[in-house]
Amino acid sequence: MSEQPITIEENGKCLQALVQLQDHNIALLFANYIATQGIASKVVATQDHSFVVFCQQDSLAQAKAEFDAFIQHPYDGKYQQAAWQHGDTVEVRANDLTLLKSFKENFLSHAGMMTLTVFALCWLVFLASILGWAQPIFSSVKFYHQLSVDAFLHEPLRLLGPAIFHFSWLHIVFNTMWWWQIGGSIEKLLGKGVLINLTLISAIGSNVGQFIVSGPNFGGLSGVVYALVGFVWWYGYLKPDSGLTLSKPIIGFLLFWLLLGFAELLPVNMANTAHLIGLISGCLYAIFTVKVANK
């Protein structure tokens, strides 16, 4: 007699056990991904501290095919993106990984060395600034008072310096969140070389543009963040099967935010020129990466 499949009821749907995994985060990553594909899913912890992924019984064949592809490259950008958009809907129980450990593993697994280094640098500078060293730090990293070849040769890092300085909690949380999310996906899928080039091009371009418009008193990673948005937007458009995409609502929100800045309808000062130049540079670099570099 054949063994009966293990099933559970969830929101009126019959879910069947698909696969048992030892890593909670891998199980969540896959469950969240198939949920975005229209397959109801749930992760259930077992007594031996493993995790069973249940999926919609009438979509079992599709879920099996998705898992075969997933397990070959579990940290592919499309799975990370789906998990981030869908969110973790699984209850965390006492025998699961602790919240801190789970967060740490997800945070580190999504980002490469370049992503984590810039993230840490921005936060170290910000924390030092709120502890009383804001003025000397900003004086050290702010853009040139007058842009010239001599100024560049004397202090070349000022060309990039403003990108690592942030003026408020909202400023740094917004920028580093998007940097980690989008930059991590780019680095994981295309390598740190692409992310380094994109960061340098957009930081220099957006800093120079903002200086020309408003002078040297600006800062933040937002010009680079908009470059990441533009890059993923056009890379995903040119290579839709690459797994590197942003949803249309997210792109629409960030473009709308950009327009609000230019319309001066926001209660904060925005480096609008840096945002626009960053966005354009990211789009152009995506076209170059696909059409010329063939990545």
Side-chain angles (χ1 to χ4, degrees):
M1 181 182 296
S2 61
E3 186 177 344
Q4 292 296 315
I6 301 173
T7 61
I8 61 174
E9 290 289 331
E10 180 75 9
N11 296 326
K13 295 182 179 180
C14 181
L15 306 185
Q16 182 174 329
L18 174 66
V19 64
Q20 184 170 344
L21 300 167
Q22 295 300 313
D23 190 290
H24 187 205
N25 295 313
I26 294 293
L28 288 178
L29 198 64
F30 177 68
N32 282 334
Y33 174 72
I34 61 174
T36 66
Q37 304 303 300
I39 304 174
S41 64
K42 183 177 179 64
V43 175
V44 176
T46 66
Q47 292 183 349
D48 62 355
H49 305 294
S50 61
F51 304 91
V52 177
V53 178
F54 286 80
C55 70
Q56 197 170 326
Q57 194 171 42
D58 57 8
S59 300
L60 191 64
Q62 180 186 352
K64 286 181 177 179
E66 293 286 4
F67 182 77
D68 289 341
F70 166 82
I71 204 62
Q72 299 298 318
H73 303 284
Y75 292 114
D76 189 283
K78 68 178 180 180
Y79 302 122
Q80 295 289 332
Q81 184 70 26
W84 179 67
Q85 291 178 5
H86 182 265
D88 179 6
T89 59
V90 179
E91 180 184 359
V92 179
R93 290 171 290 274
N95 62 340
D96 285 351
L97 298 175
T98 65
L99 287 174
L100 181 61
K101 184 177 179 181
S102 178
F103 170 79
K104 178 183 176 182
E105 291 186 358
N106 280 318
F107 180 82
L108 295 177
S109 67
H110 177 71
M113 186 57 65
M114 172 64 180
T115 308
L116 294 175
T117 298
V118 172
F119 185 97
L121 182 59
C122 288
W123 274 99
L124 286 173
V125 169
F126 178 73
L127 293 175
S129 69
I130 65 173
L131 290 174
W133 293 293
Q135 189 57 49
I137 292 175
F138 185 61
S139 297
S140 299
V141 301
K142 71 183 293 187
F143 205 76
Y144 309 101
H145 288 285
Q146 183 174 357
L147 183 58
S148 66
V149 174
D150 288 340
F152 170 72
L153 292 176
H154 181 61
E155 296 179 297
L157 292 182
R158 286 188 184 274
L159 204 58
L160 302 170
I164 64 172
F165 190 91
H166 293 81
F167 297 99
S168 68
W169 285 99
L170 179 62
H171 194 201
I172 190 169
V173 168
F174 183 89
N175 282 344
T176 54
M177 177 192 73
W178 288 111
W179 164 262
W180 171 82
Q181 173 60 38
I182 307 176
S185 295
I186 293 172
E187 185 172 7
K188 284 292 184 179
L189 185 65
L190 301 177
K192 65 177 178 293
V194 171
L195 183 60
I196 289 173
N197 291 338
L198 179 57
T199 301
L200 292 176
I201 291 168
S202 60
I204 292 171
S206 60
N207 285 346
V208 171
Q210 192 62 46
F211 167 76
I212 293 172
V213 171
S214 65
N217 293 318
F218 63 89
L221 197 64
S222 50
V224 176
V225 166
Y226 268 94
L228 302 182
V229 172
F231 180 87
V232 173
W233 178 16
W234 276 83
Y235 191 92
Y237 173 75
L238 294 171
K239 296 188 71 173
D241 297 329
S242 66
L244 190 60
T245 60
L246 279 177
S247 67
K248 290 181 179 179
I250 291 176
I251 294 172
F253 165 76
L254 292 171
L255 292 178
F256 182 65
W257 189 263
L258 178 65
L259 291 175
L260 286 179
F262 274 104
E264 298 183 351
L265 297 176
L266 296 171
V268 294
N269 292 324
M270 303 280 286
N272 299 312
T273 303
H275 297 171
L276 180 60
I277 293 176
L279 180 68
I280 294 171
S281 65
C283 294
L284 292 177
Y285 190 62
I287 295 171
F288 170 84
T289 302
V290 174
K291 299 296 186 180
V292 180
N294 294 318
K295 285 194 174 184

